[in-house]
Amino acid sequence: MPANVLLHADVQYTVQAMYSVPDEAWYLELSETQPAPPAWADLPGAVDHLPGPSILVAVVPDEDPTREPTVAFGPAEQVVPYPVMCWFMEHLAEEVERCRPAMASEARPEPVTADDVRHQ
């Protein structure tokens, strides 16, 4: 089973990540998987399940350090079992750790003023 798939109480969940250029942020979506179309069964390398509608959506901005990561429930407000929520939050924490330090290292230094130069 791939790392982004979790089987809990006979329900298979998946987390998928995608980047939104206009939002300058990573989106992580938790969903229940759905069977792939039967016609795919004979295709080499085809997956047997696909992500379904989003249950949770996390947004991790990676360009603006003032924007905080957020999590929102999907339109169905489906119940998420605690172990599944923990698993999703682990993925989210990894994404925040990956994106936020990179942003901090790219932060621009404070501008130097004439007074700063005179006091050196």
Side-chain angles (χ1 to χ4, degrees), residues 34-43 46-50:
Q34 299 177 342
W40 291 16
D42 296 331
L43 299 174
V47 296
D48 58 352
H49 284 80
L50 299 169

Side-chain angles (χ1 to χ4, degrees), residues 87-116:
W87 177 71
F88 178 74
M89 294 306 290
E90 287 174 11
H91 281 276
L92 177 56
E94 289 171 7
E95 192 65 27
V96 170
E97 286 179 29
R98 186 182 70 78
C99 291
R100 302 303 275 199
M103 188 185 331
S105 68
E106 294 174 4
R108 294 185 179 117
E110 291 291 322
V112 177
T113 65
D115 286 337
D116 294 333

Side-chain angles (χ1 to χ4, degrees), residues 56-74:
L56 292 171
V57 178
V59 180
V60 183
D62 69 343
E63 296 291 330
D64 182 355
T66 63
R67 290 177 53 208
E68 291 292 326
T70 59
V71 178
F73 279 87

